[in-house]
Amino acid sequence: MGGRLKAAESWNEQTMDSSGKYVRYTNEQVEALERVYHECPKPSSIRRHQLIKESPILANIEPKQIKVWFQNRRCREKQRKEASRLVSVNAKLTALNKLLMEENERLAKHTSQLTLENHALRQQLPGLPLTDGRHRLSSQNALKKEGAVNGGDESSTQGGICVRIHGQAGVASTDTSCDSAVTGGLPHRLTPQHSPRDTSPAGLLAIAEETLTDFLAKATGTAVDWIQLPGMKPGPDAIGIIAISHGCVGIAARACGLVALDASKVTEVLKDRPAWQQDCRRMEVLGVLPTANGGTIELLYTQMYAPTTLASARDYCTLRYTTILEDGNLVICERSLIGGQNGPPMPPVQSFVRGEMFPSGYLIRPSDGGGCIIHVVDHYDNERWSVPEVLRPLYESPAVLAQRSTIAALRHLRRLASEESGEGNPRNGQHPVVLRTLSQRLAKGFKNAVNGFGDDGWVSTVSDGLEDVSVMLNATPKSMEGQIASDKLLYSLGGGILCAKASMLLQNVSPSLLIGFLREHRSEWADFDIDANVATSFRSNGNSYARGGGVSHVQLPLPLAHSGEHGEILEVVKLEGHSSVQHMVLSRDSFLLQLCSGIDENAVGASAQLIFAPVDVALAEDIPLLPSGFCVSPIDASVVGGFDLDRTLDLASTLEGGSDLRLNGDTKSNGTSGQMRSVLTIAFQFAYEVHTRETCAVMARQYVRTVVASVQRVAMALAPSRAPAPLRQAPSNPDAISLVRHVLSSYRLHLALDLTRPENRGDEALFKAFWHHTDAIVCCAWKGMPEFVFANRSGLEMFETTTSSLQDLDWDKTLNENECELSYTTFTQVLQQDYCSLPAGVRMSSTGRTTTYERALAWKVLDDNEAVECIAFLFINWSFVT
């Protein structure tokens, strides 16, 4: 180290010019040059001559020698950064190698333990009485039926006490009743019954120690079966080693990585969850109890945002235990407190569904090379039964949990470490803390608009008869409490805030691809007159919403264009042009502060969002923000990656030309449908005055409908197209149109989601959207036995028939032997419960070809008099078996 310092000092004193001669510099000259270098590392020739004139101390140095000094200085800086990067990479690789060796050792011990247990069981088998295999099978079936009657858990009664065996290894509970709660025909998840715990300090400490043991078994042990998260490749540039659960109660995710922060800083950051997790709305510390070993027990109440308008938000009542282990490692572990089980009861909160957190937390281990190795474990049960079935993957996918919480913790820590080291800081004068604060305020402001909590002052308006877009008003400053004081200026307009929002189902389009296109081609969905006038009204208390102007947009590198991790881009979009309103010209340029994230993310469960808000040119941490935008969340747990961007060749010109929306990407043959489903959430906010509230509400609702139609058109263009079926033309008779209208309205009635979203709500548009739906939709009447009635084009392709021949197709001939009984049971279940979900299965076409599908939905179709008209089936992602 000393040799390097001496070499650096001698380099500062002398350098070689272009002729090969060494030129000596005094310390005063070096200081003057260093000051200029920090201001401008690469000065121009004019600047170098000016420097010699302004600094008499440099008068005896030629401009060419000054140029060489700056070249050498830049070279040394580059070498220093490269050496620092290599040291960092080496530290990461060393830490990762240590983690992998520890994981390998744990797995080897677990394998040895399982081998010994297997050997012991084999030795016990000869002493057990042998029974006929058929008798054992029938006994198991009887137990399964008995378990289904008792709420789906396998159970047996011994001495009047029902012993339920739950899916989690090592969890068993006793209960004096075997009754299960059923609401609307759907069984609720049965929570294990525990005897009440002591809530005294000693009792809470016992709960905390138990939580610590369970957490460590997940963080460094094999209490949960972990598998690597698809799409996350380990390496020096990776966020860490990411794993998700497989087959445990609830959903769980685990991450392990190295961050260049000390343990105390990491502890402080991770305990402040609302500061780093965008989904966390609020966290309150209800009580604090210090422990004798220097630890801390805290009782917490936490609220989490819902990701879409179609589901309720979640809240948790938890106990958090912070302590230092004997080996010097620091632990923050947490678990839910259930009233009557192990803590004081917490009454339910309106607009929230109470979730359960199983032992989770953070293990912080100081690293030999500096920084800390962080183990993160998240384990939840988010009560998926409370959301529509099509959205349940958002609540039952460990990959989604990993992206939203587990990986987010490591990303935030790495971002803080980068800020402290000065790496990646923008050169536009903006402090990284300001950029991070602006990003978080945009994201949370959008989530507040999507959720519309009543305690923030949001109230619903009267619908215009269509339920596709909801409008809410906020005329009080409640939502600004606890936030930056300048946000309350939004209410100085004399009115309030209006939010129009909607959710829609997308198919065959990756979230990153769609959001990337919406960002790059704003003209395909945005009305720039509304954008500009909203920005103007936000500044000047005006509310004139012009339409149809010629406003364009550019993305400014200044004053802000910052790229962070996770493909996050914070930028300023300038709206420039003129309004189409006669005698009206925009008085000055309008700007949008825009956050785009997730466009470079291809891992399973990753969402993407585009959020923007009108701002002035001068950016500050406390500027008022009114965020609007889009968020796309995948709802298929098996989805991996996205589509190549070259699918969008000349997409913008295709859309503008109004021609047939076809791409040059790969298309699927043999009737294969797409492999990706996601939910798009849209929320647009507007400032209004009291006398313009009704006009603003009508404008906002219509504008969001226009945006929805445009985005759907873009999504259809981005999705791989399917070859048309010329022999299967769409019928145009009124009966078919009426049936389609009933099918779509019943789907929304039962599942609270639109199956299709045409550009307008007319019967012809609805029928066209139904007919061209990529998944197979088949309608069947029940007349003692099923009979085919109608199908869309994809359904006809699946069964290889035509509209006229469909009714002659025998239902039973489309089933294999294993699914005949299940098929008839499905009709009974749908008639009783309105709808049901079916697992993956097979069907036979009219020509005898085998067709497979990933899953299916069946729902009861009601006519205008609410009488049962037929049963509709939706076969998702079907394909022929070749």
Side-chain angles (χ1 to χ4, degrees), residues 306-312 391 449-451 470 501-504 680-683:
T308 174
T309 61
L310 303 174
S312 299
L391 297 179
V450 169
N451 285 261
S470 60
K501 52 190 177 181
S503 293
M504 60 185 292
L680 169 65
T681 301
I682 304 175

Side-chain angles (χ1 to χ4, degrees), residues 269-592:
V269 171
L270 291 177
K271 294 183 72 171
D272 188 11
R273 186 182 292 268
W276 60 265
Q277 187 173 0
Q278 292 184 358
D279 287 336
C280 183
R281 181 197 184 209
R282 180 180 302 160
M283 187 182 73
E284 300 178 9
V285 179
L286 305 179
V288 179
L289 174 67
T291 62
N293 60 1
T296 304
I297 296 176
E298 299 167 288
L299 302 181
L300 306 179
Y301 173 68
T302 307
Q303 293 180 347
M304 307 293 285
Y305 292 108
T308 174
T309 61
L310 303 174
S312 299
R314 296 301 190 262
D315 64 351
Y316 306 89
C317 298
T318 58
L319 177 147
R320 184 169 68 187
Y321 182 36
T322 306
T323 186
I324 298 178
L325 303 179
E326 294 180 356
D327 56 7
N329 296 331
L330 197 146
V331 172
I332 308 170
C333 56
E334 190 174 353
R335 64 161 297 170
S336 282
L337 291 177
I338 301 175
Q341 168 197 328
N342 47 19
M346 178 75 179
V349 180
Q350 186 178 6
S351 302
F352 288 87
V353 173
R354 184 64 46 82
E356 183 173 359
M357 178 191 293
F358 298 115
S360 307
Y362 315 97
L363 172 61
I364 305 169
R365 305 165 54 190
S367 176
D368 298 336
C372 293
I373 298 176
I374 314 296
H375 298 257
V376 184
V377 173
D378 289 309
H379 192 178
Y380 290 87
D381 186 341
N382 286 320
E383 305 293 344
R384 65 182 185 273
W385 53 265
S386 63
V387 300
E389 189 163 353
V390 293
L391 297 179
R392 290 184 183 177
L394 285 175
Y395 295 86
E396 59 188 13
S397 168
V400 173
L401 174 65
Q403 295 289 345
R404 292 183 176 274
S405 179
T406 316
I407 300 176
L410 288 182
R411 281 202 174 103
H412 184 74
L413 291 172
R414 288 185 51 167
R415 184 170 183 174
L416 291 180
S418 176
E419 292 174 2
E420 289 192 358
S421 65
E423 297 179 3
N425 289 349
R427 292 184 177 271
N428 51 22
Q430 296 290 348
H431 195 277
V433 176
V434 176
L435 303 181
R436 177 159 40 87
T437 301
L438 290 173
S439 298
Q440 186 181 48
R441 290 181 56 211
L442 281 173
K444 290 206 169 185
F446 175 75
K447 292 180 183 296
N448 274 322
V450 169
N451 285 261
F453 295 113
D455 59 355
D456 280 344
W458 290 101
V459 293
S460 300
T461 62
V462 179
S463 172
D464 63 349
L466 298 176
E467 302 296 335
D468 55 338
V469 177
S470 60
V471 176
M472 302 188 75
L473 300 176
N474 194 340
T476 63
K478 291 182 180 179
S479 62
M480 302 303 163
E481 294 178 1
Q483 299 184 20
I484 295 176
S486 65
D487 279 352
K488 297 182 181 180
L489 293 175
L490 299 176
Y491 295 90
S492 66
L493 303 178
I497 304 300
L498 181 147
C499 178
K501 52 190 177 181
S503 293
M504 60 185 292
L505 190 65
L506 302 176
Q507 297 189 88
N508 307 337
V509 179
S510 71
S512 59
L513 180 61
L514 178 60
I515 290 298
F517 184 87
L518 295 179
R519 170 179 172 260
E520 296 170 3
H521 303 278
R522 194 179 185 91
S523 60
E524 295 301 331
W525 57 269
D527 187 314
F528 291 104
D529 274 325
I530 290 184
D531 279 348
N533 283 291
V534 166
T536 303
S537 66
F538 186 67
R539 285 197 305 257
S540 60
N541 297 3
N543 274 291
S544 57
Y545 296 98
R547 298 298 303 271
V551 183
S552 62
H553 83 288
V554 294
Q555 296 171 354
L556 297 181
L558 292 175
L560 178 64
H562 174 64
S563 298
E565 288 193 17
H566 186 40
E568 182 179 283
I569 301 173
L570 187 63
E571 60 192 350
V572 170
V573 176
K574 180 182 178 182
L575 306 176
E576 54 186 9
H578 63 276
S579 173
S580 62
V581 179
Q582 190 175 6
H583 307 304
M584 176 182 176
V585 179
L586 296 178
S587 59
R588 54 175 173 164
D589 293 330
S590 300
F591 299 89
L592 298 177

Side-chain angles (χ1 to χ4, degrees), residues 596-643:
C596 183
S597 63
I599 57 175
D600 294 333
E601 186 63 69
N602 289 322
V604 175
S607 59
Q609 60 183 2
L610 178 68
I611 305 171
F612 45 87
V615 294
D616 284 322
V617 181
L619 292 175
E621 184 178 6
D622 58 348
I623 58 173
L625 294 177
L626 195 63
S628 303
F630 311 87
C631 180
V632 187
S633 303
I635 56 175
D636 274 348
S638 59
V639 172
V640 180
F643 295 96

Side-chain angles (χ1 to χ4, degrees), residues 121 123-131:
L121 289 174
Q123 289 181 338
Q124 295 175 7
L125 282 178
L128 296 177
L130 297 177
T131 57

